[in-house]
Amino acid sequence: MHPRSLFRSAALALAISLTLGAPSAFAAEKAATTAAASSVQRAAVAQGLYELAFSPTQNALFVASSGGFGDAAGPAQVLRLNPDSLVVDARIPLERKAFGVVLDDAHNRLYVGNTVDTSVTVVDTASNKALGIVQLMEKKVGKDGKAGYTHDLRELVVDSPNNRLYVTGHSGEGSVLFVVDTQSLKLINTIPDLGNAKAPGLTLDAANKRVLTSNLLGEVVTVGTDSGKVEQRFNISAEQPMNLVLDPSGKRLFVTDQGLEMIRKYQASSIPGFVSKHPGQRVLVLDPTTGKELASIATDAGPLGLLLDAPRKRLYVTNREAGTVTAYDSGSYRKVGTYDVPTHPNSLALDAKKNVLYVTIKNSDEDEKGSEESVARIVL
């Protein structure tokens, strides 16, 4: 797969093993893993699935479908699924391909990243209609004389009380952070200096007025939401820092270190002097203000998506290459369960009230072109 396709697909996507010392602990993990197999419900719903979001207000699951690429591609759309049956209740047509999503449930808005068009589509989740498109960057003519976008998109986060949407625009020539006013639906700032490498990770620390991003230079970069500038950056031991999630306390930052060979080859070809020093396949736990490493959690192959259920002390990780979702105690970092969801589990959403986890699952290269991809429902 070409590196550009890699990051669009969310492999865009991307160790200190915690061993279980006591036989009773091992038995408990085995029991949890075995019990997990019967709790997974799965449905194929559309081509080119990416991120998803659960809405408690609408009691609905919203899933981005790019439609895929090539002659067999389907329509670009957002699917509204029944969260219990995974039946498609509505299909919301889009003008542009859908990839990342973030939900502002308080305002009945779903923001959809149009990665290949460097724009965001705004969807009204109450009426199931697209309201419009926010263009984040215009095309530029390159050395080859062809016009194209210099940056593509990955993650989005929304600060609902302050009416702000943040989107990473990543490029090997210099990644940026786009800032959108969600009332006017206008781009109000483009913040540079996220690093001359892909910047796949993004999370919001609203309490401390900052946004944290990761890049493939092995950095975490902090942007002040008031200052509109990079305020801090630090190197971490993760070579392929992908998704980020912040503990609500603000004292721990979880980072997937993916460890894929194709990303390693991309880094070797695009980062001067790059030498791989760690195989990845872990989640790092960091102090978000200093970058100090607090823990390293071994995962299955290709960890990508992260979801923290802080009240229940659970951390969920999609392992894209292994075809699993692993669950950890977020206090002790002990693995407490594994859910088999082959082929490539991608993104996560949670119905916190019912304690149900949702996962998008992508096909492999061996699957028939044009075949639908799946959503899994896991009763925890």
Side-chain angles (χ1 to χ4, degrees), residues 5 58 65 131 357 380:
S5 299
Q58 301 293 330
S65 169
L131 300 177
L357 190 69
L380 301 167

Side-chain angles (χ1 to χ4, degrees), residues 102-306:
V102 67
L103 178 68
D104 182 356
D105 215 25
H107 295 99
N108 296 325
R109 291 257 179 102
L110 183 75
Y111 298 97
V112 182
N114 312 127
T115 291
V116 297
D117 296 295
T118 318
S119 61
V120 173
T121 298
V122 185
V123 171
D124 185 313
T125 56
S127 64
N128 296 325
K129 292 182 180 179
L131 300 177
I133 295 172
V134 182
Q135 189 65 50
L136 302 177
M137 184 174 278
E138 299 301 327
K139 290 182 178 180
K140 293 183 179 180
V141 178
K143 294 179 181 179
D144 59 0
K146 297 180 180 179
Y149 296 106
T150 58
H151 292 64
D152 46 47
L153 309 182
R154 190 166 185 272
E155 293 297 276
L156 308 87
V157 296
V158 66
D159 184 354
S160 181
N162 293 304
N163 303 305
R164 291 292 182 268
L165 173 71
Y166 299 94
V167 188
T168 48
H170 56 154
S171 165
E173 274 69 58
S175 292
V176 300
L177 183 70
F178 297 111
V179 186
V180 175
D181 184 314
T182 57
Q183 290 184 311
S184 66
L185 295 181
K186 301 291 184 182
L187 176 70
I188 59 173
N189 201 2
T190 300
I191 302 170
D193 301 327
L194 298 192
N196 290 341
K198 299 287 187 179
L202 180 66
T203 191
L204 172 70
D205 183 0
N208 292 301
K209 298 182 178 181
R210 59 183 179 172
V211 170
L212 294 93
T213 70
S214 64
N215 65 40
L216 291 183
L217 298 173
E219 293 182 319
V220 169
V221 181
T222 301
V223 177
T225 55
D226 281 352
S227 69
K229 297 179 180 179
V230 171
E231 296 183 342
Q232 189 179 26
R233 65 194 321 129
F234 43 76
N235 292 104
I236 61 176
S237 63
E239 288 179 9
Q240 299 178 16
M242 289 289 166
N243 287 26
L244 309 176
V245 66
L246 189 70
D247 189 308
S249 69
K251 295 181 180 180
R252 294 182 301 170
L253 179 68
F254 296 86
V255 186
T256 46
D257 184 10
Q258 196 164 43
L260 294 188
E261 183 59 28
M262 64 175 65
I263 299 180
R264 208 168 280 119
K265 289 180 179 178
Y266 163 81
Q267 291 171 302
S269 66
S270 62
I271 301 172
F274 173 79
V275 177
S276 180
K277 298 179 181 179
H278 199 284
Q281 299 188 14
R282 59 179 176 162
V283 173
L284 281 184
V285 187
L286 307 175
D287 182 317
T289 59
T290 66
K292 178 182 178 182
E293 187 173 317
L294 305 177
S296 176
I297 310 169
T299 67
D300 293 347
L304 179 64
L306 281 172

